[in-house]
Structure formats: structure tokens, C-alpha cells
Amino acid sequence: MCRVVDLRQAVLAKNDGAAQALRDELTARGTTVVNLLSSPGSGKTALLERELLLARERAVPVAALTADLATENDALRLARSGVPVKQVLTDGLCHLEAGMLGRHLDGWLPEDTRLLFVENVGNLVCPAGYDLGESLRVVLASVTEGEDKPLKYPTAFGLAQLVVVTKTDIAQAVEFDEAAFRANVERVNPGVEIVMTSARKGEGLGLLLDRALAAGTGAGTHTPVMARRQPATGHDHGAGHDHGAGHDHGPRHDHGHGHDHGHLHGHGHGADHGSDHHHHHGPGHAHDRTPASGADHEHDHDRGHDHEHPQVQPAAQTR
């Protein structure tokens, strides 16, 4: 008799195991991981830079790892805060995975790090399904993205433990309807906290840092309803539908057969097709280099070959 194996489920189950092992290891050493997800251009790098600076002022030991398909731009910006920063280039992979994160932290993350902010690849589809061993999952959306964003990406917003709205300084100019946005978030993730921020004006500055520190103690961390509705088969059937036989992995396990289906391809060709739709690059190799800014830089293709590269000079920031 032929047995059908769900390859995606197997891949995610392996990731979940690696994520829990990483979470246990980091928790034991007093490090809290914060996973930041958003669309490209949401302003999460600008906000994170301000939060890192504030953490340094408060003498909170922090570090940041940022992932992109290409360029070191985000790491160079974040490194200006003076905290340890590493850039990971995925070369087409649309998300980070727990095993990948663990390899990049090995030998790099300072032992006394209290908070590790992970700036995931910029899209709201692929990263939503992968637990990174985080203690706090944050989804960010700018006021320019539309009030219906949570309804378009119910898995990402439905599994968030904190929702951050960015660029509020231009909310009036773009006619952002905050009440409608809040109502839509409530539909997919009842009870999740929503904070309003502006990196430019300083509105809400420090709230992300405060929530991250609280998550490290387990104080008041939100558990999304969707996380409690994961069926035993490991498939996510979207927000608001309980298919029974579930198990609670926390807000980090979407197994991707809900509204966001069809955007993750197990053996793609590394091309970025835009609109939050990317291909899984598959096996490859890792490269290390340390730019003059102090930010580490790596490519990740999962084959473990390390090659040194010339130092990269920091680029001027474009605001």
C-alpha cells in the first residue's frame, strides 16, 4: 500500500523541533528572541534602530540579526547603534528557519545577550510558518499598507503576539483609518495588543523594547487563538475555524494550508517574485564576512562552506 507523505508537514515538524531546542538553549542562558515580521518597506529597520539605541542607553545587552535576499543595507544601519549585528543573505530563500538561525548564532552571539531581535525576510507569507525559537513574535505594518492588511494575511497577523503600526506621523496624510485596522486585527487575532509608533517622531518609542523584556519573564505574553487551533495534522486552515484535534505550540506554528497557501515552494530557484511571494532556494553554502561597521555578514545555503570576503564600508543612510 502506498503511503502519501506531506513533505511540507515533515519540513515544518523538523523545524519545530529545532526551534524548541534553540528556545530551550537560549532561555537557559537568559536570552529572549524577538521575531520581527513585516512586508518590505514597513519601516521595521528604522524602528529597530531606534529601539537598539534605547536599549544601549538603558544598558540592556541586545543584539540584532537581519535577513535579506540581497544587500547589507539593513545591517549597516543597525550597526550604527553600536550593538552586535549580523547580516544574513538568503540568496532567494523567503524566510529564516530555526536551524539556520542557530548556526548563525553559534560563536557569534555574546553570552550576556538579554534580547536578540531577528529581522526576518521582508514578506508576510513564508516567514509566518516558521518558528525560530522566539519568545515574542511581532508583526509590523505601516499606515501606508491599508487597513485590510490583517485580512489579506490572516496567518501572519493571526499568530502575532504583538502588532506594531509604523509611520504614524503620516497617518493623516494617507487617510489611515486606525479604527478599521484595529477591527480587522481583532477579527483574526482577538485580544492582541496593537501599538502605534513613529521612528521619525519618536511616538511609541520603547514600547517594543518593554514588551520584549516582559516576554523574557513570561509576563502577560499574548497567546493567539489561531495558535490553539492547530489541528493534529499540522495544517493551518485559516483564522476563525476550529477543525478539532488541535495542539498548542504557541503562536509560531502555521502549517500553511489556509488563506496564505501556495506561496512556498520547496525547491525553487532563488528568484524574488515580489508581492510577498518567494521561492525556497534549497541547499547551498554559507559565507562569512565582517563589514567595517562591525556587522557580520553571511550567505546561507545550508551546506556549511565558509568563505572570507573583503570588508564592506558603511553606506550613507537614505531617509
Side-chain angles (χ1 to χ4, degrees), residues 36 44-58 60 62 78 81 83 115 117 140 164 195-199 202-212:
L36 304 176
K44 68 178 178 294
T45 304
L47 179 62
L48 181 55
E49 183 181 3
R50 295 290 303 274
E51 296 286 340
L52 294 177
L53 285 166
L54 184 59
R56 190 178 180 191
E57 291 175 7
R58 293 183 181 179
V60 177
V62 295
L78 295 178
S81 66
V83 309
L115 294 177
F117 289 95
L140 302 92
V164 176
V195 298
M196 312 299 288
T197 67
S198 168
E203 180 185 357
L205 184 62
L207 290 176
L208 177 56
L209 180 60
D210 291 341
R211 302 305 184 268

Side-chain angles (χ1 to χ4, degrees), residues 11 13-14 52 54 66 87 94 99 143 148 167 169 187 190 196 229 238 250 252 260 263 276 289 297 309 319:
V11 168
K14 180 180 179 181
L52 294 177
L54 184 59
T66 181
Q87 176 79 61
C94 61
V143 298
D148 61 347
K167 306 183 183 181
D169 52 297
R187 285 180 61 183
M196 312 299 288
R229 290 176 173 170
R252 294 168 289 275
D260 296 345
H263 293 276
D276 289 329
R289 62 178 168 181
H297 170 128
H309 290 263
R319 293 189 179 272

Side-chain angles (χ1 to χ4, degrees), residues 107-132:
W108 167 73
L109 187 68
E111 285 293 330
D112 66 342
T113 302
R114 186 172 175 187
L115 294 177
L116 171 64
F117 289 95
V118 177
E119 186 178 15
N120 218 315
V121 180
N123 77 87
L124 288 173
V125 179
C126 306
Y130 286 84
D131 183 355
L132 298 183

Side-chain angles (χ1 to χ4, degrees), residues 40-316:
S42 68
K44 68 178 178 294
T45 304
L47 179 62
L48 181 55
E49 183 181 3
R50 295 290 303 274
E51 296 286 340
L52 294 177
L53 285 166
L54 184 59
R56 190 178 180 191
E57 291 175 7
R58 293 183 181 179
V60 177
V62 295
L65 182 145
T66 181
D68 282 301
L69 302 177
T71 82
E72 299 175 345
N73 295 350
D74 288 352
L76 292 173
R77 289 180 61 183
L78 295 178
R80 298 184 307 193
S81 66
V83 309
V85 175
K86 171 171 279 192
Q87 176 79 61
V88 174
L89 295 185
T90 65
D91 286 343
L93 185 64
C94 61
H95 59 274
L96 288 173
E97 298 177 7
M100 180 193 306
L101 177 61
R103 288 193 299 275
H104 288 303
L105 298 183
D106 188 28
W108 167 73
L109 187 68
E111 285 293 330
D112 66 342
T113 302
R114 186 172 175 187
L115 294 177
L116 171 64
F117 289 95
V118 177
E119 186 178 15
N120 218 315
V121 180
N123 77 87
L124 288 173
V125 179
C126 306
Y130 286 84
D131 183 355
L132 298 183
E134 69 263 25
S135 296
L136 182 65
R137 173 172 288 207
V138 182
V139 174
L140 302 92
S142 72
V143 298
T144 62
E145 295 178 58
E147 295 82 2
D148 61 347
K149 197 80 171 185
L151 304 182
K152 291 181 176 179
Y153 299 94
T155 300
F157 282 89
L159 291 172
Q161 293 168 289
L162 177 67
V163 174
V164 176
V165 178
T166 60
K167 306 183 183 181
T168 57
D169 52 297
I170 60 172
Q172 185 174 358
V174 299
E175 299 182 347
F176 175 68
D177 188 337
E178 181 180 341
F181 180 84
R182 287 181 176 274
N184 290 334
V185 171
E186 184 69 14
R187 285 180 61 183
V188 299
N189 193 346
V192 69
E193 182 182 11
I194 302 170
V195 298
M196 312 299 288
T197 67
S198 168
R200 179 177 294 179
K201 299 294 187 180
E203 180 185 357
L205 184 62
L207 290 176
L208 177 56
L209 180 60
D210 291 341
R211 302 305 184 268
L213 290 170
T217 67
T221 305
H222 174 69
T223 301
V225 172
M226 184 184 290
R228 301 194 295 267
R229 290 176 173 170
Q230 295 301 320
T233 57
H235 298 292
D236 167 33
H237 296 274
H241 300 281
D242 188 354
H243 295 265
H247 54 276
D248 183 5
H249 282 290
R252 294 168 289 275
H253 298 270
D254 160 42
H255 295 274
H257 291 277
H259 298 282
D260 296 345
H261 60 79
H263 293 276
L264 178 64
H265 303 269
H267 299 282
H269 300 284
D272 177 5
H273 293 270
S275 299
D276 289 329
H277 181 133
H278 304 289
H279 288 267
H280 190 300
H281 193 279
H285 54 282
H287 306 255
D288 289 327
R289 62 178 168 181
T290 305
S293 66
D296 284 339
H297 170 128
E298 297 188 11
H299 290 263
D300 196 304
H301 301 272
D302 295 326
R303 284 184 184 165
H305 302 294
D306 296 327
H307 303 282
E308 293 186 0
H309 290 263
Q311 290 188 334
V312 177
Q313 297 298 324

Side-chain angles (χ1 to χ4, degrees), residues 1-10 233 235:
M1 181 177 178
C2 180
R3 181 182 178 186
V4 178
V5 178
D6 187 332
L7 179 59
R8 179 181 172 88
Q9 181 181 350
T233 57
H235 298 292

